[in-house]
Amino acid sequence: MLNHPGLENFEKITTKNIPTENYISQGHRACQGCAEILALGMVMKIAGPNTIVANATGCMEIVTSPFPQTAWKVPWIHVAFENTAAVASGIEAGIKALKRKERFKNDPPHVIAVGGDGATADIGLQSLSGALERGHNFLYVCLDNEAYMNTGIQRSSSTPYGASTTTSPTGSQSIGQQTWKKDLPAIAAAHNIPYVATANPGFHLDLMNKVKKALTIEGPAYIHIYSACPTGWRSKPEKSIEISKLAVQTNVFPLYEIINGRLTITKKINKPKPVREYLKTQRRFGHLSDNDINFIQQRTDARMAELQSLESSSQE
């Protein structure tokens, strides 16, 4: 249900009308099998040329802008981990001022802030919260590869329970990451913004339609995108999309959107696969025992039941 007046005439992206132009050029320096650059390319396909991007330090900043080259075909600014949303809100405020002076002959540009999970869940959370609370008209995209990958695979607060990283290594006294993944979409939704969604490049049409909705709706929007990382996850590069789909098919990363407070699960899995099938694709989980995996399965089932309950109550 498109529960927002701005989406009354929403035209869905399908296989027949996917934009063909790319706004991140070939030749970037992303790792083989990087699903994060795929997801970012999908975001930019929908955003189009009339877009300004503020990009936090992180993998996507590094691989797209090795001096003196750039892979970006739109205005782009590199900013620090902690102030991506603040810079984006400043750009948006400037655009508002120019609109008041009638400086735009056509539509004003979209404003998109891009950050990884470290820039979003940890270092930049304060500025993100402020920008969402102030109601700036912009889209924040979190590309979540579940650790600080470009600096050496250190854990973040978005690293999943049981994953081994260089700062949460497995050992005789350690399971690896000992805390559960921070629920960033729920935190964004708690700001009562008009649009929040999760997305996954393994389901590209779902992802692109969510980006289009987020850019169509007036006000702040937040999209949390699952981004498989073969380098950090110790997975096979050619399996990144397969792993991405498994994350949804096992309910490890459910796909949903929240429009004006109403939650809808956008990819319903009638017979979810066991989380074991997802975990065994990545060596960061290779040390987990049967008891550990059963514990993760229980938490995954409980979280999915919670989302289904929220969806049911949203429809009442």
Side-chain angles (χ1 to χ4, degrees):
M1 179 180 292
L2 302 181
N3 180 37
H4 194 282
L7 298 176
E8 288 174 343
N9 300 313
F10 184 78
E11 182 181 358
K12 290 184 69 173
I13 301 292
T14 69
T15 53
K16 295 181 179 179
N17 64 0
I18 292 177
T20 56
E21 187 67 28
N22 293 310
Y23 296 97
I24 297 177
S25 68
Q26 298 176 350
H28 53 71
R29 312 296 174 87
C31 302
Q32 284 187 328
C34 174
E36 189 169 347
I37 192 73
L38 289 178
L40 184 57
M42 294 174 191
V43 171
M44 293 310 302
K45 267 182 176 289
I46 302 305
N50 192 24
T51 302
I52 300 173
V53 176
N55 193 171
T57 296
C59 288
M60 291 303 97
E61 170 263 320
I62 290 172
V63 304
T64 59
S65 61
F67 182 81
Q69 301 170 333
T70 179
W72 293 87
K73 296 182 180 179
V74 300
W76 175 89
I77 181 171
H78 167 218
V79 295
F81 272 122
E82 66 270 22
N83 63 350
T84 319
V87 171
S89 63
I91 295 170
E92 190 267 351
I95 289 172
K96 278 182 181 172
L98 292 174
K99 284 175 67 176
R100 286 196 298 271
K101 295 178 180 178
E102 300 181 346
R103 297 290 182 87
F104 292 106
K105 294 181 180 178
N106 301 309
D107 292 335
H110 301 302
V111 179
I112 298 180
V114 176
D117 50 291
T120 308
D122 297 341
I123 307 171
L125 184 58
Q126 181 179 1
S127 67
L128 172 61
S129 177
L132 297 180
E133 182 272 331
R134 292 190 298 272
H136 291 281
N137 183 29
F138 79 119
L139 166 61
Y140 192 99
V141 174
C142 175
L143 297 166
D144 183 6
N145 59 15
E146 302 185 329
Y148 292 83
M149 297 305 183
N150 77 89
T151 53
I153 318 176
Q154 297 93 351
R155 70 169 290 277
S156 75
S157 58
S158 196
T159 300
Y161 176 83
S164 181
T165 72
T166 55
T167 51
S168 61
T170 182
S172 59
Q173 302 297 317
S174 172
I175 192 176
Q177 175 80 345
Q178 298 182 21
T179 58
W180 292 90
K181 186 180 181 73
K182 188 182 288 184
D183 192 346
L184 260 298
I187 292 172
H191 290 75
N192 295 318
I193 60 176
Y195 191 80
V196 175
T198 60
N200 181 319
F203 297 87
H204 61 287
L205 291 177
D206 180 81
L207 186 155
M208 288 191 274
N209 275 298
K210 286 171 176 172
V211 172
K212 186 174 180 180
K213 290 176 189 175
L215 293 174
T216 301
I217 293 174
E218 185 77 12
Y222 176 89
I223 299 183
H224 197 95
I225 301 181
Y226 175 96
S227 302
C229 174
T231 303
W233 296 5
R234 303 292 189 254
S235 57
K236 294 180 178 178
E238 69 273 20
K239 297 290 186 180
S240 290
I241 292 300
E242 183 178 322
I243 292 170
S244 299
K245 291 183 176 179
L246 269 174
V248 176
Q249 292 163 348
T250 56
N251 288 334
V252 167
F253 191 89
L255 295 180
Y256 61 88
E257 65 184 3
I258 304 171
I259 304 177
N260 278 354
R262 299 184 68 173
L263 186 147
T264 302
I265 298 171
T266 57
K267 184 67 178 176
K268 298 184 187 301
I269 308 299
N270 294 326
K271 294 182 179 179
K273 296 179 179 179
V275 295
R276 182 185 299 274
E277 291 193 24
Y278 170 76
L279 299 175
K280 72 182 182 183
T281 62
Q282 303 152 57
R283 282 195 285 137
R284 61 177 177 157
F285 296 120
H287 57 283
L288 297 180
S289 67
D290 286 345
N291 285 338
D292 297 330
I293 293 173
N294 289 338
F295 184 46
I296 294 172
Q297 181 73 65
Q298 291 170 10
R299 286 289 297 246
T300 301
D301 293 344
R303 174 58 180 154
M304 194 64 210
E306 182 182 358
L307 285 175
Q308 290 168 339
S309 175
L310 287 171
E311 181 184 43
S312 296
S313 61
S314 293
Q315 309 306 321
E316 293 174 352

